[in-house]
Amino acid sequence: LTATGREQAIGLARLLGRLELVEPLVLSSPRRRAVDTAKLAGLAVEETTEDLSEWNYGDYEGLTTEQIREHTPGWTVWTHACPAGETAESVQHRADAILTRAATQTAHRDVVLVGHGHFSRTLLARWVRLAVANGIHFRMSPGGVAVLGHDHGQPQIAAMNLTVD
């Protein structure tokens, strides 16, 4: 994490406190920046899981969108393949698995998922039963929080991109 990222993570403790979480089950990506973010936010990670890892960009890892578009015009992770990387189908499978797992716990406690940008947007899309590609329509800032819930038995995004700013 950068110094800014650490400040954002520490600030999340106040934001999460306002949510009045009930015995939260905290699942995190095993990547250090996710685990560190959770700890700095005052969360006790109960388990790390690859299901919360960021989208595997394969040959595009470390490249900017602009660099990729030099040879693949119009490329986005939402609309194009990542050579030697993860498919949208695979990402959807991971998202659905973690959401199903979380749903088994929410009758008794809250669940906090700590992950990464594109994958978090995938989770939002899948929660409201949209295709992975619809993740492009959701904004999640670094250190942003979304609250997923239900309205009359239907999945709902109760809050999205809450930040400490």
Side-chain angles (χ1 to χ4, degrees), residues 47-109:
E47 181 183 330
T48 60
T49 174
E50 287 291 336
D51 281 347
L52 285 167
S53 294
E54 181 59 290
W55 199 307
N56 178 341
Y57 304 116
D59 294 345
Y60 292 159
E61 186 68 40
L63 299 177
T64 66
T65 298
E66 292 73 26
Q67 289 171 323
I68 297 166
R69 286 181 174 175
E70 288 175 11
H71 57 81
T72 308
W75 180 90
T76 74
V77 71
W78 308 105
T79 58
H80 292 72
C82 294
E86 196 169 17
T87 65
E89 180 180 59
S90 175
V91 172
Q92 177 177 322
H93 178 74
R94 288 194 297 116
D96 290 351
I98 201 73
L99 289 171
T100 297
R101 180 170 178 205
T104 67
Q105 298 294 311
T106 56
H108 315 300
R109 64 199 296 199

Side-chain angles (χ1 to χ4, degrees), residues 82-139:
C82 294
E86 196 169 17
T87 65
E89 180 180 59
S90 175
V91 172
Q92 177 177 322
H93 178 74
R94 288 194 297 116
D96 290 351
I98 201 73
L99 289 171
T100 297
R101 180 170 178 205
T104 67
Q105 298 294 311
T106 56
H108 315 300
R109 64 199 296 199
D110 289 314
V111 178
V112 178
L113 305 176
V114 183
H116 310 277
H118 283 123
F119 190 72
S120 293
R121 294 164 66 187
T122 298
L123 287 170
L124 292 168
R126 295 305 298 152
W127 180 252
V128 293
R129 301 181 182 130
L130 297 174
V132 169
N134 286 291
I136 196 168
H137 300 293
F138 301 106
R139 175 158 173 74

